[in-house]
Each structure stands twice: as C-alpha cells, then as structure tokens.
PDB file of all heavy atoms in Angstrom:
ATOM      1  N   MET A   1     108.354 159.710 179.891  1.00 95.00           N
ATOM      2  CA  MET A   1     109.609 159.004 179.635  1.00 95.00           C
ATOM      3  C   MET A   1     109.567 157.649 180.311  1.00 95.00           C
ATOM      4  O   MET A   1     109.076 157.520 181.439  1.00 95.00           O
ATOM      5  CB  MET A   1     110.789 159.807 180.196  1.00 95.00           C
ATOM      6  CG  MET A   1     110.928 161.195 179.623  1.00 95.00           C
ATOM      7  SD  MET A   1     111.300 161.195 177.859  1.00 95.00           S
ATOM      8  CE  MET A   1     112.891 160.373 177.847  1.00 95.00           C
ATOM      9  N   GLY A   2     110.093 156.663 179.625  1.00 97.00           N
ATOM     10  CA  GLY A   2     110.104 155.322 180.188  1.00 97.00           C
ATOM     11  C   GLY A   2     111.430 154.632 179.985  1.00 97.00           C
ATOM     12  O   GLY A   2     112.229 155.038 179.136  1.00 97.00           O
ATOM     13  N   TRP A   3     111.637 153.612 180.783  1.00 98.00           N
ATOM     14  CA  TRP A   3     112.793 152.740 180.628  1.00 98.00           C
ATOM     15  C   TRP A   3     112.288 151.310 180.406  1.00 98.00           C
ATOM     16  O   TRP A   3     111.388 150.836 181.116  1.00 98.00           O
ATOM     17  CB  TRP A   3     113.680 152.768 181.868  1.00 98.00           C
ATOM     18  CG  TRP A   3     114.467 154.018 182.052  1.00 98.00           C
ATOM     19  CD1 TRP A   3     114.109 155.123 182.768  1.00 98.00           C
ATOM     20  CD2 TRP A   3     115.755 154.306 181.500  1.00 98.00           C
ATOM     21  NE1 TRP A   3     115.091 156.072 182.705  1.00 98.00           N
ATOM     22  CE2 TRP A   3     116.116 155.603 181.937  1.00 98.00           C
ATOM     23  CE3 TRP A   3     116.654 153.610 180.700  1.00 98.00           C
ATOM     24  CZ2 TRP A   3     117.328 156.207 181.592  1.00 98.00           C
ATOM     25  CZ3 TRP A   3     117.855 154.204 180.354  1.00 98.00           C
ATOM     26  CH2 TRP A   3     118.175 155.486 180.802  1.00 98.00           C
ATOM     27  N   PHE A   4     112.889 150.671 179.441  1.00 98.00           N
ATOM     28  CA  PHE A   4     112.619 149.266 179.148  1.00 98.00           C
ATOM     29  C   PHE A   4     113.946 148.529 179.149  1.00 98.00           C
ATOM     30  O   PHE A   4     115.010 149.145 179.076  1.00 98.00           O
ATOM     31  CB  PHE A   4     111.952 149.127 177.779  1.00 98.00           C
ATOM     32  CG  PHE A   4     110.542 149.647 177.724  1.00 98.00           C
ATOM     33  CD1 PHE A   4     110.280 151.008 177.705  1.00 98.00           C
ATOM     34  CD2 PHE A   4     109.466 148.776 177.698  1.00 98.00           C
ATOM     35  CE1 PHE A   4     108.982 151.495 177.659  1.00 98.00           C
ATOM     36  CE2 PHE A   4     108.161 149.242 177.650  1.00 98.00           C
ATOM     37  CZ  PHE A   4     107.922 150.616 177.630  1.00 98.00           C
ATOM     38  N   ARG A   5     113.873 147.224 179.208  1.00 97.00           N
ATOM     39  CA  ARG A   5     115.097 146.433 179.105  1.00 97.00           C
ATOM     40  C   ARG A   5     114.821 145.188 178.283  1.00 97.00           C
ATOM     41  O   ARG A   5     113.682 144.714 178.213  1.00 97.00           O
ATOM     42  CB  ARG A   5     115.629 146.059 180.489  1.00 97.00           C
ATOM     43  CG  ARG A   5     114.703 145.201 181.323  1.00 97.00           C
ATOM     44  CD  ARG A   5     115.231 145.090 182.752  1.00 97.00           C
ATOM     45  NE  ARG A   5     114.415 144.221 183.577  1.00 97.00           N
ATOM     46  CZ  ARG A   5     114.589 144.061 184.890  1.00 97.00           C
ATOM     47  NH1 ARG A   5     115.562 144.721 185.525  1.00 97.00           N
ATOM     48  NH2 ARG A   5     113.806 143.233 185.553  1.00 97.00           N
ATOM     49  N   GLN A   6     115.882 144.693 177.681  1.00 96.00           N
ATOM     50  CA  GLN A   6     115.735 143.539 176.799  1.00 96.00           C
ATOM     51  C   GLN A   6     116.955 142.654 176.868  1.00 96.00           C
ATOM     52  O   GLN A   6     118.077 143.109 176.599  1.00 96.00           O
ATOM     53  CB  GLN A   6     115.495 143.993 175.359  1.00 96.00           C
ATOM     54  CG  GLN A   6     115.140 142.870 174.415  1.00 96.00           C
ATOM     55  CD  GLN A   6     114.673 143.394 173.060  1.00 96.00           C
ATOM     56  OE1 GLN A   6     114.949 144.534 172.684  1.00 96.00           O
ATOM     57  NE2 GLN A   6     113.957 142.568 172.331  1.00 96.00           N
ATOM     58  N   ALA A   7     116.730 141.414 177.221  1.00 93.00           N
ATOM     59  CA  ALA A   7     117.793 140.411 177.223  1.00 93.00           C
ATOM     60  C   ALA A   7     117.814 139.715 175.867  1.00 93.00           C
ATOM     61  O   ALA A   7     116.793 139.676 175.167  1.00 93.00           O
ATOM     62  CB  ALA A   7     117.543 139.405 178.336  1.00 93.00           C
ATOM     63  N   PRO A   8     118.945 139.136 175.479  1.00 90.00           N
ATOM     64  CA  PRO A   8     119.031 138.432 174.189  1.00 90.00           C
ATOM     65  C   PRO A   8     117.969 137.347 174.081  1.00 90.00           C
ATOM     66  O   PRO A   8     117.779 136.540 174.996  1.00 90.00           O
ATOM     67  CB  PRO A   8     120.437 137.835 174.224  1.00 90.00           C
ATOM     68  CG  PRO A   8     121.200 138.720 175.133  1.00 90.00           C
ATOM     69  CD  PRO A   8     120.220 139.154 176.193  1.00 90.00           C
ATOM     70  N   GLY A   9     117.246 137.351 172.961  1.00 92.00           N
ATOM     71  CA  GLY A   9     116.245 136.325 172.722  1.00 92.00           C
ATOM     72  C   GLY A   9     114.931 136.526 173.446  1.00 92.00           C
ATOM     73  O   GLY A   9     114.042 135.684 173.360  1.00 92.00           O
ATOM     74  N   LYS A  10     114.801 137.637 174.156  1.00 94.00           N
ATOM     75  CA  LYS A  10     113.573 137.900 174.904  1.00 94.00           C
ATOM     76  C   LYS A  10     112.922 139.188 174.423  1.00 94.00           C
ATOM     77  O   LYS A  10     113.551 140.021 173.788  1.00 94.00           O
ATOM     78  CB  LYS A  10     113.878 137.989 176.403  1.00 94.00           C
ATOM     79  CG  LYS A  10     114.349 136.677 177.015  1.00 94.00           C
ATOM     80  CD  LYS A  10     114.431 136.783 178.520  1.00 94.00           C
ATOM     81  CE  LYS A  10     114.811 135.451 179.156  1.00 94.00           C
ATOM     82  NZ  LYS A  10     114.851 135.528 180.634  1.00 94.00           N
ATOM     83  N   GLU A  11     111.644 139.339 174.761  1.00 94.00           N
ATOM     84  CA  GLU A  11     110.922 140.549 174.395  1.00 94.00           C
ATOM     85  C   GLU A  11     111.362 141.723 175.277  1.00 94.00           C
ATOM     86  O   GLU A  11     111.836 141.534 176.393  1.00 94.00           O
ATOM     87  CB  GLU A  11     109.419 140.334 174.545  1.00 94.00           C
ATOM     88  CG  GLU A  11     108.833 139.342 173.555  1.00 94.00           C
ATOM     89  CD  GLU A  11     107.326 139.308 173.603  1.00 94.00           C
ATOM     90  OE1 GLU A  11     106.731 139.984 174.468  1.00 94.00           O
ATOM     91  OE2 GLU A  11     106.725 138.590 172.788  1.00 94.00           O
ATOM     92  N   ARG A  12     111.166 142.913 174.727  1.00 95.00           N
ATOM     93  CA  ARG A  12     111.476 144.111 175.491  1.00 95.00           C
ATOM     94  C   ARG A  12     110.501 144.218 176.666  1.00 95.00           C
ATOM     95  O   ARG A  12     109.296 144.082 176.496  1.00 95.00           O
ATOM     96  CB  ARG A  12     111.401 145.333 174.591  1.00 95.00           C
ATOM     97  CG  ARG A  12     112.010 146.572 175.175  1.00 95.00           C
ATOM     98  CD  ARG A  12     112.283 147.617 174.105  1.00 95.00           C
ATOM     99  NE  ARG A  12     113.347 147.186 173.213  1.00 95.00           N
ATOM    100  CZ  ARG A  12     113.889 147.965 172.273  1.00 95.00           C
ATOM    101  NH1 ARG A  12     113.445 149.208 172.132  1.00 95.00           N
ATOM    102  NH2 ARG A  12     114.842 147.516 171.489  1.00 95.00           N
ATOM    103  N   GLU A  13     111.033 144.492 177.817  1.00 96.00           N
ATOM    104  CA  GLU A  13     110.267 144.452 179.064  1.00 96.00           C
ATOM    105  C   GLU A  13     110.179 145.856 179.675  1.00 96.00           C
ATOM    106  O   GLU A  13     111.196 146.557 179.788  1.00 96.00           O
ATOM    107  CB  GLU A  13     110.965 143.504 180.044  1.00 96.00           C
ATOM    108  CG  GLU A  13     110.408 143.471 181.440  1.00 96.00           C
ATOM    109  CD  GLU A  13     111.314 142.745 182.426  1.00 96.00           C
ATOM    110  OE1 GLU A  13     112.516 142.593 182.144  1.00 96.00           O
ATOM    111  OE2 GLU A  13     110.814 142.334 183.490  1.00 96.00           O
ATOM    112  N   PHE A  14     108.978 146.243 180.097  1.00 97.00           N
ATOM    113  CA  PHE A  14     108.798 147.521 180.770  1.00 97.00           C
ATOM    114  C   PHE A  14     109.472 147.492 182.138  1.00 97.00           C
ATOM    115  O   PHE A  14     109.369 146.509 182.879  1.00 97.00           O
ATOM    116  CB  PHE A  14     107.314 147.813 180.936  1.00 97.00           C
ATOM    117  CG  PHE A  14     107.027 148.997 181.821  1.00 97.00           C
ATOM    118  CD1 PHE A  14     107.205 150.280 181.350  1.00 97.00           C
ATOM    119  CD2 PHE A  14     106.603 148.819 183.126  1.00 97.00           C
ATOM    120  CE1 PHE A  14     106.949 151.381 182.170  1.00 97.00           C
ATOM    121  CE2 PHE A  14     106.348 149.892 183.959  1.00 97.00           C
ATOM    122  CZ  PHE A  14     106.520 151.183 183.472  1.00 97.00           C
ATOM    123  N   VAL A  15     110.142 148.590 182.490  1.00 98.00           N
ATOM    124  CA  VAL A  15     110.787 148.703 183.790  1.00 98.00           C
ATOM    125  C   VAL A  15     110.124 149.778 184.641  1.00 98.00           C
ATOM    126  O   VAL A  15     109.661 149.522 185.754  1.00 98.00           O
ATOM    127  CB  VAL A  15     112.292 149.015 183.632  1.00 98.00           C
ATOM    128  CG1 VAL A  15     112.945 149.199 185.011  1.00 98.00           C
ATOM    129  CG2 VAL A  15     112.991 147.918 182.841  1.00 98.00           C
ATOM    130  N   ILE A  16     110.063 150.996 184.092  1.00 98.00           N
ATOM    131  CA  ILE A  16     109.635 152.127 184.902  1.00 98.00           C
ATOM    132  C   ILE A  16     109.330 153.300 183.981  1.00 98.00           C
ATOM    133  O   ILE A  16     109.893 153.380 182.883  1.00 98.00           O
ATOM    134  CB  ILE A  16     110.764 152.482 185.911  1.00 98.00           C
ATOM    135  CG1 ILE A  16     110.260 153.301 187.081  1.00 98.00           C
ATOM    136  CG2 ILE A  16     111.926 153.141 185.211  1.00 98.00           C
ATOM    137  CD1 ILE A  16     111.298 153.411 188.211  1.00 98.00           C
ATOM    138  N   ALA A  17     108.421 154.188 184.403  1.00 97.00           N
ATOM    139  CA  ALA A  17     108.102 155.342 183.568  1.00 97.00           C
ATOM    140  C   ALA A  17     107.647 156.507 184.438  1.00 97.00           C
ATOM    141  O   ALA A  17     107.206 156.313 185.578  1.00 97.00           O
ATOM    142  CB  ALA A  17     107.026 154.979 182.545  1.00 97.00           C
ATOM    143  N   ILE A  18     107.708 157.697 183.848  1.00 96.00           N
ATOM    144  CA  ILE A  18     107.368 158.903 184.586  1.00 96.00           C
ATOM    145  C   ILE A  18     106.619 159.862 183.674  1.00 96.00           C
ATOM    146  O   ILE A  18     106.921 159.960 182.479  1.00 96.00           O
ATOM    147  CB  ILE A  18     108.652 159.565 185.155  1.00 96.00           C
ATOM    148  CG1 ILE A  18     108.325 160.709 186.109  1.00 96.00           C
ATOM    149  CG2 ILE A  18     109.583 160.016 184.034  1.00 96.00           C
ATOM    150  CD1 ILE A  18     109.547 161.185 186.917  1.00 96.00           C
ATOM    151  N   SER A  19     105.632 160.553 184.225  1.00 95.00           N
ATOM    152  CA  SER A  19     104.866 161.509 183.439  1.00 95.00           C
ATOM    153  C   SER A  19     105.675 162.769 183.174  1.00 95.00           C
ATOM    154  O   SER A  19     106.741 162.976 183.763  1.00 95.00           O
ATOM    155  CB  SER A  19     103.574 161.872 184.177  1.00 95.00           C
ATOM    156  OG  SER A  19     103.888 162.502 185.413  1.00 95.00           O
ATOM    157  N   TRP A  20     105.144 163.627 182.316  1.00 92.00           N
ATOM    158  CA  TRP A  20     105.899 164.818 181.920  1.00 92.00           C
ATOM    159  C   TRP A  20     106.242 165.702 183.115  1.00 92.00           C
ATOM    160  O   TRP A  20     107.306 166.309 183.160  1.00 92.00           O
ATOM    161  CB  TRP A  20     105.100 165.626 180.905  1.00 92.00           C
ATOM    162  CG  TRP A  20     103.991 166.424 181.528  1.00 92.00           C
ATOM    163  CD1 TRP A  20     102.724 166.019 181.800  1.00 92.00           C
ATOM    164  CD2 TRP A  20     104.082 167.783 181.990  1.00 92.00           C
ATOM    165  NE1 TRP A  20     102.018 167.024 182.401  1.00 92.00           N
ATOM    166  CE2 TRP A  20     102.818 168.124 182.521  1.00 92.00           C
ATOM    167  CE3 TRP A  20     105.095 168.743 181.996  1.00 92.00           C
ATOM    168  CZ2 TRP A  20     102.547 169.387 183.059  1.00 92.00           C
ATOM    169  CZ3 TRP A  20     104.826 169.998 182.532  1.00 92.00           C
ATOM    170  CH2 TRP A  20     103.553 170.307 183.061  1.00 92.00           C
ATOM    171  N   SER A  21     105.359 165.760 184.108  1.00 91.00           N
ATOM    172  CA  SER A  21     105.565 166.634 185.250  1.00 91.00           C
ATOM    173  C   SER A  21     106.393 165.966 186.346  1.00 91.00           C
ATOM    174  O   SER A  21     106.855 166.624 187.276  1.00 91.00           O
ATOM    175  CB  SER A  21     104.216 167.033 185.845  1.00 91.00           C
ATOM    176  OG  SER A  21     103.574 165.899 186.414  1.00 91.00           O
ATOM    177  N   GLY A  22     106.550 164.649 186.257  1.00 91.00           N
ATOM    178  CA  GLY A  22     107.188 163.915 187.342  1.00 91.00           C
ATOM    179  C   GLY A  22     106.214 163.535 188.436  1.00 91.00           C
ATOM    180  O   GLY A  22     106.586 162.876 189.410  1.00 91.00           O
ATOM    181  N   GLY A  23     104.960 163.927 188.288  1.00 91.00           N
ATOM    182  CA  GLY A  23     103.979 163.694 189.333  1.00 91.00           C
ATOM    183  C   GLY A  23     103.389 162.308 189.340  1.00 91.00           C
ATOM    184  O   GLY A  23     102.730 161.905 190.305  1.00 91.00           O
ATOM    185  N   ASN A  24     103.615 161.571 188.282  1.00 95.00           N
ATOM    186  CA  ASN A  24     103.060 160.229 188.179  1.00 95.00           C
ATOM    187  C   ASN A  24     104.140 159.276 187.692  1.00 95.00           C
ATOM    188  O   ASN A  24     104.804 159.550 186.694  1.00 95.00           O
ATOM    189  CB  ASN A  24     101.876 160.238 187.202  1.00 95.00           C
ATOM    190  CG  ASN A  24     101.024 159.015 187.312  1.00 95.00           C
ATOM    191  OD1 ASN A  24     101.097 158.279 188.292  1.00 95.00           O
ATOM    192  ND2 ASN A  24     100.186 158.785 186.335  1.00 95.00           N
ATOM    193  N   THR A  25     104.304 158.185 188.412  1.00 96.00           N
ATOM    194  CA  THR A  25     105.288 157.185 188.024  1.00 96.00           C
ATOM    195  C   THR A  25     104.658 155.803 188.061  1.00 96.00           C
ATOM    196  O   THR A  25     103.654 155.590 188.751  1.00 96.00           O
ATOM    197  CB  THR A  25     106.519 157.195 188.950  1.00 96.00           C
ATOM    198  OG1 THR A  25     106.087 157.022 190.310  1.00 96.00           O
ATOM    199  CG2 THR A  25     107.276 158.502 188.831  1.00 96.00           C
ATOM    200  N   TYR A  26     105.239 154.902 187.324  1.00 97.00           N
ATOM    201  CA  TYR A  26     104.731 153.529 187.295  1.00 97.00           C
ATOM    202  C   TYR A  26     105.927 152.588 187.253  1.00 97.00           C
ATOM    203  O   TYR A  26     106.869 152.812 186.495  1.00 97.00           O
ATOM    204  CB  TYR A  26     103.831 153.318 186.086  1.00 97.00           C
ATOM    205  CG  TYR A  26     102.941 152.124 186.218  1.00 97.00           C
ATOM    206  CD1 TYR A  26     101.724 152.207 186.887  1.00 97.00           C
ATOM    207  CD2 TYR A  26     103.310 150.891 185.700  1.00 97.00           C
ATOM    208  CE1 TYR A  26     100.917 151.102 187.021  1.00 97.00           C
ATOM    209  CE2 TYR A  26     102.515 149.787 185.844  1.00 97.00           C
ATOM    210  CZ  TYR A  26     101.315 149.893 186.502  1.00 97.00           C
ATOM    211  OH  TYR A  26     100.518 148.793 186.647  1.00 97.00           O
ATOM    212  N   TYR A  27     105.873 151.532 188.069  1.00 96.00           N
ATOM    213  CA  TYR A  27     106.989 150.616 188.209  1.00 96.00           C
ATOM    214  C   TYR A  27     106.554 149.196 187.872  1.00 96.00           C
ATOM    215  O   TYR A  27     105.455 148.780 188.228  1.00 96.00           O
ATOM    216  CB  TYR A  27     107.490 150.598 189.651  1.00 96.00           C
ATOM    217  CG  TYR A  27     107.983 151.908 190.192  1.00 96.00           C
ATOM    218  CD1 TYR A  27     107.103 152.927 190.541  1.00 96.00           C
ATOM    219  CD2 TYR A  27     109.342 152.122 190.377  1.00 96.00           C
ATOM    220  CE1 TYR A  27     107.572 154.117 191.050  1.00 96.00           C
ATOM    221  CE2 TYR A  27     109.819 153.304 190.894  1.00 96.00           C
ATOM    222  CZ  TYR A  27     108.927 154.301 191.221  1.00 96.00           C
ATOM    223  OH  TYR A  27     109.389 155.488 191.728  1.00 96.00           O
ATOM    224  N   ALA A  28     107.430 148.445 187.253  1.00 97.00           N
ATOM    225  CA  ALA A  28     107.207 147.009 187.128  1.00 97.00           C
ATOM    226  C   ALA A  28     107.373 146.379 188.506  1.00 97.00           C
ATOM    227  O   ALA A  28     108.193 146.841 189.317  1.00 97.00           O
ATOM    228  CB  ALA A  28     108.214 146.400 186.154  1.00 97.00           C
ATOM    229  N   ASP A  29     106.613 145.346 188.785  1.00 97.00           N
ATOM    230  CA  ASP A  29     106.685 144.698 190.102  1.00 97.00           C
ATOM    231  C   ASP A  29     108.097 144.234 190.426  1.00 97.00           C
ATOM    232  O   ASP A  29     108.526 144.260 191.577  1.00 97.00           O
ATOM    233  CB  ASP A  29     105.727 143.507 190.150  1.00 97.00           C
ATOM    234  CG  ASP A  29     104.272 143.933 190.211  1.00 97.00           C
ATOM    235  OD1 ASP A  29     104.011 145.107 190.542  1.00 97.00           O
ATOM    236  OD2 ASP A  29     103.399 143.101 189.919  1.00 97.00           O
ATOM    237  N   SER A  30     108.829 143.835 189.408  1.00 95.00           N
ATOM    238  CA  SER A  30     110.156 143.273 189.624  1.00 95.00           C
ATOM    239  C   SER A  30     111.174 144.288 190.124  1.00 95.00           C
ATOM    240  O   SER A  30     112.234 143.905 190.636  1.00 95.00           O
ATOM    241  CB  SER A  30     110.671 142.641 188.329  1.00 95.00           C
ATOM    242  OG  SER A  30     110.719 143.610 187.302  1.00 95.00           O
TER     243      SER A  30
END
C-alpha cells in the first residue's frame, strides 16, 4: 500500500509505502 499526493498542475508525487506484512516501509525524503 502506498500514499501519493498531487498538487494542481503538478505530477503525482510518492509519499510513503508499506509492504503487505508491514515489515518494509519506504519514505520520500521530504
């Protein structure tokens, strides 16, 4: 599962995601 965000006029941006087990996560630097 992941979360993305998008401002008007901009591309969709990756925010954060998690693996099926919850054991692995990945974050945008921001």
Side-chain angles (χ1 to χ4, degrees):
M1 301 296 297
W3 287 93
F4 290 75
R5 62 189 183 187
Q6 188 170 20
K10 294 188 176 182
E11 293 188 355
R12 194 163 291 187
E13 173 192 20
F14 170 76
V15 177
I16 200 168
I18 189 168
S19 62
W20 77 273
S21 67
N24 196 16
T25 56
Y26 199 85
Y27 300 74
D29 288 343
S30 59

